[in-house]
Amino acid sequence: MLHRRERSRRLQTRAEKFIPGGVSSPVRAFRAVGSEPPFIVCGQGSRLWDADDNEYIDYLGSWGPLILGHAAPSVIATLISAAQKGTSFGASTPAESDLAELILLAFPSIAKVRFVSSGTEATMSAIRLARAFTRRKYIVKFEGCYHGHADALLVKAGSGIATLGIPGSAGVPEEFTQFTLALPFNDKEALETAFSKFNQQIAAVIVEPVVGNMGCVPPARGYLECMRTLTRDGGSLLIFDEVMSGFRVALGGAQELYSITPDLTTLGKIIGGGLPVGAYGGRAEIMDLVAPLGPMYQAGTLSGNPLAMAAGHATVNYLFEHKEIYRQLDKLSSQLVSGVARAATDAAVPVTYNQVGSMFTWFFTSAPVTDWKSASQCDGEAFGRFFRGMLERGVYLPPSQFEAAFLSAAHTQADVEETLAAAKQAFALVHA
Ligand code: KE4
């Protein structure tokens, strides 16, 4: 059944008069999947509705924050109550300590945490803090990992291993990326080469311990352990960017799942329950460098905003009180992911997949995806046809092959069965 698009089309035309591309973030323009973006007007549980009253089963979950689903009752009730007391004070509130306390409980590596308003601010601040603590300049990141749009992190990999990054965006002077190394993910040798070449000069390694931004790619066995050893021996800090994986792949994130203790952790998404939030935290001896205690400056008008703290606390507190959610999410996600992969095989469409808990990606390629090189071999056209076929059948996937999809605690067995039925039809279109 072809979805109506008239109202969304009109809304897109209107939005483009005021906003570049009509979107507040590029990926929402659906350019990567050759589709017109529906304008969303409502979300409830596992479902979304667009301006033309089309209904979708949502596997985007606002790019990760909505592990409890849309408009979760406990979150909304808390939010309404908080909003009735005001929206922002620019002053300390009890709500910040309430959420901070839960974060420290879930993440033993975090002795102190600072709230900001986005994941970008969190990683940008963590990098600055690592440089302040180590008094070093070089940063290591990985191809295919995204940590927000701070200049120093918008780099493309330089040619060859352990060569400095080149700006990945217009407007970023090469001087701003000259201390950023972009290495292949899951490549121990590249990491060892970088540490020997830039011996004792590396301030920090920042990594998505479970990558979401090239699609879902888990760390190879022993890889994070190797990273931990090299950074510790090299006097560098290990920053786990858990903006996406924090409270997602486990209550204590990837560091709990893989038993690795980073020096700094960045968080976002789930800890705001759908409101703007980010956070960075770690050992007290590092965090005590942050102003007003120390010389590393970072600030924000809406940092620790009472509504974001309230929605985040309601979400995280619910997860603490219902830890069985993680087993349930893993079970239902496994059924969904393997079921869709089976439908691809039945339709002779080459698809592999990666899944870590309720974070997953179907890759349109026949080879395993373990890094950016293998991810970039995917057939983007085929993914686009599948995406459009699913959207037309009421299934809302992330509008890019290189993004993770998410299942929430609001998704049901019936949602999965409906999705599998849609996938069988959508795969038939991929080669049509
Ligand atoms: P924000 O500045 O978008 O809140 O967070 C940046 C960020 C940092 N670290 C990780 C691991 C992230 O995944 C993100 C942002 N994630 C993307 C989705 N892959 C946000 C979606 C968008 O850019 O619109």
Side-chain angles (χ1 to χ4, degrees):
M1 172 196 68
L2 276 181
H3 274 81
R4 297 161 40 88
R5 281 275 181 276
E6 295 77 17
R7 287 191 202 139
S8 279
R9 207 166 278 137
R10 277 202 305 276
L11 287 165
Q12 178 68 27
T13 305
R14 176 172 177 251
E16 286 175 3
K17 286 190 200 128
F18 312 126
I19 304 166
V23 291
S24 297
S25 197
V27 68
R28 302 181 194 174
F30 278 38
R31 301 263 167 115
V33 289
S35 171
E36 296 172 293
F39 272 60
I40 302 302
V41 296
C42 174
Q44 286 290 341
S46 63
R47 304 276 165 148
L48 286 173
W49 285 265
D50 71 14
D52 295 282
D53 299 326
N54 298 308
E55 182 177 342
Y56 304 92
I57 303 171
D58 179 24
Y59 291 105
L60 182 64
S62 180
W63 303 97
L66 304 179
I67 194 166
L68 300 183
H70 291 280
S74 58
V75 175
I76 298 302
T78 307
L79 208 41
I80 289 170
S81 159
Q84 284 165 338
K85 300 186 186 87
T87 55
S88 177
F89 313 115
S92 296
T93 65
E96 292 147 279
S97 302
D98 294 343
L99 181 53
E101 204 166 24
L102 289 186
I103 289 173
L104 270 54
L105 215 49
F107 289 82
S109 71
I110 299 178
K112 287 193 181 173
V113 65
R114 168 64 65 85
F115 291 110
V116 291
S117 299
S118 71
T120 294
E121 273 191 273
T123 57
M124 177 175 71
S125 308
I127 296 280
R128 184 181 308 139
L129 178 56
R131 285 174 159 155
F133 182 77
T134 61
R135 299 173 187 275
R136 297 177 180 180
K137 294 177 181 175
Y138 290 92
I139 295 291
V140 172
K141 75 170 291 286
F142 299 92
E143 293 161 273
C145 287
Y146 174 71
H147 305 288
H149 60 88
D151 283 345
L153 292 168
L154 283 182
V155 294
K156 284 193 289 214
S159 58
I161 297 293
T163 50
L164 297 173
I166 44 188
S169 163
V172 176
E174 58 272 11
E175 291 82 359
F176 285 34
T177 58
Q178 63 183 326
F179 300 114
T180 309
L181 277 168
L183 303 179
F185 184 69
N186 272 334
D187 182 334
K188 286 184 189 174
E189 201 182 313
L191 208 46
E192 286 153 357
T193 303
F195 268 83
S196 59
K197 183 174 178 184
F198 292 87
N199 182 30
Q200 303 298 317
Q201 298 177 75
I202 295 171
V205 171
I206 184 166
V207 67
E208 290 181 65
V210 174
V211 186
N213 288 289
M214 56 176 125
C216 177
V217 176
R221 187 183 302 281
Y223 182 61
L224 296 178
E225 289 79 356
C226 166
M227 198 179 288
R228 180 63 283 183
T229 304
L230 284 169
T231 45
R232 181 167 287 126
D233 296 351
S236 312
L237 297 188
L238 177 56
I239 303 172
F240 268 14
D241 177 357
E242 299 225 43
V243 164
M244 192 184 285
S245 55
F247 292 101
R248 169 61 65 176
V249 297
L251 190 71
Q255 54 197 271
E256 174 189 311
L257 198 60
Y258 298 107
S259 307
I260 299 277
T261 302
D263 300 296
L264 289 174
T265 299
T266 53
L267 295 166
K269 297 184 192 272
I270 288 173
I271 67 164
L275 271 70
V277 75
Y280 63 100
R283 297 202 310 266
E285 65 171 324
I286 305 173
M287 293 302 290
D288 285 351
L289 279 178
V290 178
L293 291 186
M296 179 266 181
Y297 191 73
Q298 172 268 313
T301 304
L302 294 173
S303 295
N305 170 268
L307 303 192
M309 296 295 104
H313 185 272
T315 301
V316 169
N317 192 49
Y318 189 93
L319 294 170
F320 264 100
E321 291 181 351
H322 302 81
K323 290 181 180 133
E324 72 283 356
I325 274 185
Y326 289 99
R327 189 178 34 74
Q328 291 161 357
L329 285 173
D330 191 43
K331 184 164 174 272
L332 196 56
S333 299
S334 302
Q335 190 186 329
L336 170 72
V337 175
S338 56
V340 167
R342 241 189 332 275
T345 305
D346 295 347
V349 175
V351 163
T352 62
Y353 63 84
N354 289 329
Q355 174 205 344
V356 181
S358 58
M359 191 173 150
F360 50 86
T361 301
W362 296 288
F363 293 99
F364 280 63
T365 177
S366 48
V369 173
T370 58
D371 57 12
W372 174 244
K373 187 163 178 279
S374 45
S376 60
Q377 302 306 308
C378 288
D379 179 345
E381 286 300 310
F383 175 81
R385 284 192 290 276
F386 177 70
F387 174 90
R388 295 191 297 274
M390 292 292 264
L391 194 69
E392 287 304 326
R393 288 164 180 76
V395 178
Y396 197 102
L397 297 174
S400 162
Q401 170 67 95
F402 306 120
E403 292 286 356
F406 303 95
L407 192 124
S408 82
H411 283 78
T412 62
Q413 184 72 38
D415 289 332
V416 169
E417 281 153 22
E418 205 175 313
T419 305
L420 294 179
K424 285 187 179 63
Q425 295 175 18
F427 278 122
L429 298 170
V430 168
H431 286 325

